[in-house]
Amino acid sequence: MIPIFQPHYYKEDQRLAIQTIREGYVTNGPHILEFEKQFAALCNRKYAVTCSNGTVALYLAIKALNLPKGSEVILPSMTIVSCLTAIVENGLKPIFCDIDNETWNIDYKSVESKITKDTSAVIVVNTYGLVVDTDKTLEFKQKYPHIQIIEDASESHGAFHKEVMAGSIGDISTFSFYANKIVTTGEGGMVLTDDESIYKELLQSRNLNFIERKKYIHSAAGFNFRLTNLQCALGLGQLQNIQKTIKHRKRVAYKYNSFFSKNSNIQIPFEGKEYSNVYWYYGIVVKKNYDKVLKALEDNGIEYRHFFYPLHKQPFIDSKEVIKNSEFSFENGILLPIFNKLTTSQIRFISEVILKEVQ
Ligand SMILES: Cc1ncc(COP(=O)(O)O)c(C=O)c1O
């Protein structure tokens, strides 16, 4: 069986994790601030706050923006449910927009068609490792300065477009460090901002809203969303090797490309000029014999995933809206195995299994 992903732990990860346990600072300790500092530097941001996972990061980011209650937040229909959860749990209204068929990132024309007087924010997701078009994002910001941009960079550690780093594009940005991410802490998340008052708010809201720890005085009811020192030790090791991990992702992706790029029934991931796609996942859209391809993958012990199920069609939303590209991507998209140790012969095998069904 070829798994869809396999986390890769470097020697440095192990050294730092073991050292942290030996020193006894598993929960609190210096690695938290150091991981935040180094990650903020990678993303060219002033402040970073770690938290339990990427879903919580989105929740905390939206909460910190203090958007008008009941206002509308636009998000792509084809993304993880975490974006939707974060909007709803903050008492805001989700409005779904479409993605671009070529990049699978948000389509700003679709966003514009959904703007109303109640729109307060947009969640922009760097899908499967590709940063959103930074020129279009800037244009959008200039045209609608009152609309906040929340950048969900969970799938794009270290990616960039025209030297603009993932995580530096939004007014506020978030990451996940789940096991399948390019930098992992097992479970984990982070919020990044350049605004000191938002930073202070985030420090409070990830930590039970303490005002004074010793007297147990709190500004509001709050949750514990902290990440541990042990997890951040792992994160520091991972971060030291991020370029190695990205190199492997690109190696695997370009090898897949070499097999698929001549087949007009297979759409490969976008990596335009001046982009660095970090290929969190390697997605293809198969325009012929999709079900046969899935069956062939299963029969040959190759794990795969579908693209995200359209959020507007989730059972608890059940909208009758048609959001074309999002639905098309789900119906025809497949995510293929990608990880550091995936060999050229495995990539060749996976590609041949697919190509046999799509001639
Ligand atoms: C774009 C995006 N946002 C948020 C998340 C949620 O992160 P977590 O699983 O750490 O809660 C994910 C997870 O895959 C994701 O892909």
Side-chain angles (χ1 to χ4, degrees):
M1 152 102 163
I2 305 177
I4 184 147
F5 81 92
Q6 219 174 53
H8 189 90
Y9 298 110
Y10 294 90
K11 277 206 180 103
E12 190 57 10
D13 305 2
Q14 294 171 30
R15 191 189 67 76
L16 281 164
I18 290 165
Q19 187 192 355
T20 305
I21 295 167
R22 283 202 181 122
E23 287 171 357
Y25 293 104
V26 168
T27 308
N28 282 314
H31 296 316
I32 300 172
L33 261 180
E34 188 55 31
F35 183 46
E36 290 170 345
K37 201 173 110 193
Q38 289 192 19
F39 209 85
L42 170 75
C43 302
N44 299 320
R45 304 254 20 178
K46 281 196 186 147
Y47 307 106
V49 174
T50 48
C51 58
S52 330
N53 56 60
T55 308
V56 158
L58 282 161
Y59 172 76
L60 290 176
I62 295 181
K63 188 169 163 47
L65 291 176
N66 207 9
L67 303 170
K69 274 276 161 282
S71 66
E72 296 174 356
V73 179
I74 301 173
L75 76 165
S77 160
M78 201 216 51
T79 191
I80 187 119
V81 73
S82 311
C83 297
L84 175 54
T85 308
I87 296 170
V88 174
E89 290 298 320
N90 272 292
L92 303 164
K93 188 172 171 199
I95 303 290
F96 303 100
C97 74
D98 210 348
I99 54 162
D100 175 84
N101 244 340
E102 196 182 10
T103 62
W104 306 319
N105 276 337
I106 203 161
D107 174 1
Y108 278 106
K109 279 202 199 99
S110 174
V111 176
E112 286 200 89
S113 74
K114 303 283 173 131
I115 292 174
T116 72
K117 63 175 185 11
D118 294 323
T119 306
S120 59
V122 180
I123 299 184
V124 164
V125 183
N126 302 328
T127 310
Y128 301 147
L130 183 78
V131 164
V132 286
D133 183 318
T134 51
D135 295 331
K136 286 189 184 154
T137 308
L138 200 63
E139 240 173 69
F140 183 87
K141 274 193 191 179
Q142 278 164 355
K143 199 164 168 193
Y144 304 99
H146 63 289
I147 298 180
Q148 298 289 312
I149 295 207
I150 300 145
E151 177 193 1
D152 185 350
S154 293
E155 302 176 5
S156 60
H157 312 61
F160 57 86
H161 176 218
K162 294 188 173 172
E163 296 176 17
V164 181
M165 290 303 294
S168 70
I169 298 156
D171 294 300
I172 195 162
S173 305
T174 65
F175 281 89
S176 160
F177 302 118
Y178 179 64
N180 64 3
K181 298 301 187 291
I182 285 173
V183 169
T184 181
T185 56
E187 293 276 6
M190 193 178 277
V191 187
L192 294 121
T193 175
D194 293 328
D195 183 317
E196 193 181 357
S197 63
I198 288 190
Y199 171 60
K200 286 185 175 160
E201 163 64 28
L202 288 165
L203 291 176
Q204 289 262 114
S205 56
R206 84 160 164 197
N207 189 20
L208 304 164
N209 287 312
F210 266 108
I211 298 175
E212 276 193 71
R213 273 211 90 134
K214 285 189 183 153
K215 291 186 182 165
Y216 291 99
I217 301 175
H218 307 260
S219 59
F223 287 104
N224 165 6
F225 287 137
R226 299 182 301 255
L227 197 66
T228 65
N229 193 46
L230 178 58
Q231 287 169 294
C232 290
L234 183 54
L236 281 169
Q238 289 268 299
L239 204 49
Q240 276 187 27
N241 289 293
I242 184 173
Q243 294 312 332
K244 256 190 220 160
T245 307
I246 291 173
K247 213 170 145 188
H248 275 294
R249 300 278 169 154
K250 285 182 185 275
R251 171 187 63 81
V252 173
Y254 297 157
K255 192 43 97 185
Y256 275 129
N257 282 353
S258 74
F259 290 113
F260 294 141
S261 59
K262 287 200 185 83
N263 189 311
S264 59
N265 288 312
I266 297 177
Q267 180 189 337
I268 60 173
F270 178 85
E271 185 171 4
K273 210 169 140 230
E274 297 183 87
Y275 278 90
S276 173
N277 188 337
V278 292
Y279 299 97
W280 171 55
Y281 267 133
Y282 184 89
I284 53 171
V285 167
V286 174
K287 297 174 183 165
K288 193 178 159 192
N289 295 339
Y290 179 72
D291 291 334
K292 281 191 181 167
V293 171
L294 297 188
K295 173 139 192 340
L297 289 171
E298 281 159 26
D299 290 347
N300 284 281
I302 300 163
E303 197 183 5
Y304 65 87
R305 297 252 196 291
H306 292 273
F307 278 28
F308 291 115
Y309 187 71
L311 291 177
H312 66 287
K313 297 184 97 167
Q314 293 290 345
F316 63 97
I317 299 287
D318 198 23
S319 158
K320 300 288 173 265
E321 242 187 308
V322 175
I323 302 187
K324 237 175 71 192
N325 297 343
S326 164
E327 290 171 32
F328 179 83
S329 301
F330 168 71
E331 282 155 16
N332 299 281
I334 310 173
L335 301 173
L336 299 178
I338 185 160
F339 48 89
N340 282 25
K341 287 197 168 153
L342 193 67
T343 64
T344 300
S345 63
Q346 284 174 314
I347 302 166
R348 180 188 302 278
F349 172 65
I350 297 164
S351 306
E352 282 171 356
V353 165
I354 294 169
L355 286 167
K356 210 167 143 204
E357 304 300 328
V358 192
Q359 288 311 337

